Amino acid sequence: MKRGWLALFVVVTAVSAYAIDAGNAFDDPQMQARYEKITSEVRCLVCQNQTIKDSNAFLADDLRREIRRMLTEGKTDAEIYDFLVVRYGDFVLYRPRMSGKTLVLWIAPFLLIVVGGLVAFKVVRGRMAMPIDDDSDSNQAAG
Amino acid sequence: MSRYLIPLLLVAIMIPVFIIGLNRDPSELPSPFLNKPAPEFELPRLKDPSRTVGSADYAGQMVLVNIWATWCAGCRQEHAYLLKLASEADIPIYGLNWRDQRSKALAWLSELGDPYVASGFDEDGRVGIDWGVYGAPETFLISADGIVLYKHLSPLSEMVWQRDFEPRILAAKGSME
């Protein structure tokens, strides 16, 4: 039993051996947390559905290095995101900022809910006005 | 009859939207530098590390800046066409040797020929980041006043040149005169 737990412990902790960075980038846990937050918000453009935190593409490697450098230099999170957006465009952020170009991305879901809701409301209202006596067969024929 | 009109209309709108959407390559992103000043750079030259090459060298000239590397298959593919451009087209080509090894890059140029006025050696990809590079080959067309007129992402060819570059070069030259 003891061996089983040990084996489990080894397997679970060994996962960290696959992490992209060899160790913590910063000794200061607060800085490390910021670093991990930022790298998990930034898209790796070579492998578009990965964050640069998860990717071992060398571009992701380069960007992590630049982010570490900027954090060390005392840049704010906003300044770091700015640095990336200026060079790679809005697409580099997994949560793109609200701007003229990305407005539709932010508004579309709410717009669809409202439009869909209105349509559903109208359909249900129409059904309510229908006589109740028609059976399912005639319903299908009408549908 | 009219109850079918709205769904039909919606489908008629959606079909072209999806056709366009499905035919676009999601890996090709528009450069945020388009129609904006190109980033500046200064790097040691690939062939002569004691000298630098940079945006200052081509100030006032319309140029191509080509991002290349020996590990990049598309770069080998477009290389012959770059040589042709260098000898026939009236536009200097500057190279950015991105994330490469100097010995390999030098061997590549002596083996295949050197279309570049000069190549900057961007070993750690720092300048590549400033230029928003994410996949070689990439080719920037930069106007005489330093504006990015176009960025091409994938190997150059006669077809690409005539379709995407020549009209922009002509238009830019026309507006200068």
Side-chain angles (χ1 to χ4, degrees):
Chain A
M1 193 60 206
K2 216 174 176 184
R3 276 195 157 189
W5 283 115
L6 189 67
L8 185 69
F9 174 77
V10 169
V11 167
V12 169
T13 51
V15 171
S16 63
Y18 292 106
I20 299 288
D21 290 325
N24 277 1
F26 294 95
D27 292 333
D28 177 1
Q30 216 180 333
M31 286 286 262
Q32 179 68 21
R34 280 180 65 202
Y35 172 67
E36 286 181 12
K37 167 91 172 37
I38 293 171
T39 51
S40 63
E41 292 277 344
V42 176
R43 186 188 304 273
C44 168
L45 294 165
V46 186
C47 29
Q48 290 185 356
N49 290 331
Q50 276 187 313
T51 64
I52 61 166
K53 190 184 179 186
D54 297 326
S55 170
N56 53 7
F58 66 70
L59 180 64
D61 207 38
D62 288 356
L63 289 177
R64 284 196 301 272
R65 183 194 64 214
E66 290 304 307
I67 290 169
R68 281 198 297 275
R69 178 182 62 77
M70 286 187 277
L71 283 169
T72 315
E73 286 171 2
K75 294 263 166 63
T76 66
D77 293 9
E79 284 171 326
I80 294 174
Y81 290 133
D82 266 346
F83 174 93
L84 294 163
V85 170
V86 164
R87 285 161 180 75
Y88 291 99
D90 289 306
F91 190 66
V92 77
L93 298 182
Y94 266 98
R95 286 188 282 182
R97 293 160 175 192
M98 211 167 319
S99 74
K101 270 190 274 178
T102 61
L103 199 64
V104 70
L105 285 176
W106 286 97
I107 289 183
F110 302 106
L111 208 67
L112 286 174
I113 284 180
V114 170
V115 170
L118 283 175
V119 170
F121 182 74
K122 261 197 90 175
V123 168
V124 170
R125 275 283 285 269
R127 293 254 166 99
M128 277 168 78
M130 278 197 286
I132 301 172
D133 62 1
D134 65 353
D135 56 42
S136 56
D137 284 340
S138 62
N139 251 341
Q140 272 174 5
Chain B
M1 193 58 216
S2 72
R3 62 180 302 200
Y4 297 113
L5 208 66
I6 292 175
L8 213 65
L9 213 68
L10 282 175
V11 170
I13 294 171
M14 279 156 73
I15 286 175
V17 168
F18 286 141
I19 287 178
I20 293 168
L22 287 169
N23 283 307
R24 282 174 56 174
D25 182 355
S27 68
E28 278 197 24
L29 306 172
S31 170
F33 293 111
L34 210 60
N35 300 320
K36 290 188 188 146
E40 293 178 354
F41 79 98
E42 190 175 12
L43 280 171
R45 289 185 182 225
L46 179 64
K47 285 186 166 171
D48 180 5
S50 65
R51 292 171 63 203
T52 62
V53 59
S55 35
D57 290 281
Y58 54 74
Q61 265 181 302
M62 191 189 290
V63 291
L64 296 178
V65 175
N66 176 253
I67 285 87
W68 66 282
T70 57
W71 46 261
C72 140
C75 300
R76 188 171 275 269
Q77 195 186 321
E78 71 174 4
H79 199 82
Y81 192 69
L82 286 179
L83 287 168
K84 186 170 181 274
L85 278 181
S87 68
E88 290 173 14
D90 184 24
I91 189 164
I93 308 173
Y94 284 79
L96 181 69
N97 182 231
W98 185 48
R99 277 292 224 133
D100 211 344
Q101 289 170 32
R102 179 168 257 127
S103 56
K104 283 189 184 170
L106 288 172
W108 161 293
L109 290 183
S110 60
E111 182 198 333
L112 299 173
D114 185 356
Y116 306 108
V117 177
S119 279
F121 183 55
D122 186 22
E123 189 173 20
D124 60 4
R126 190 59 241 279
V127 169
I129 289 176
D130 280 342
W131 283 65
V133 169
Y134 64 94
E138 291 185 13
T139 306
F140 289 80
L141 174 64
I142 297 170
S143 74
D145 41 9
I147 304 293
V148 175
L149 296 176
Y150 184 61
K151 173 186 175 180
H152 184 74
L153 237 169
S154 67
L156 287 184
S157 63
E158 185 82 44
M159 196 268 279
V160 168
W161 182 256
Q162 285 175 358
R163 187 191 61 196
D164 297 333
F165 284 84
E166 275 183 344
R168 291 181 168 90
I169 292 172
L170 285 174
K173 282 190 172 158
S175 69
M176 295 280 288
E177 280 156 13

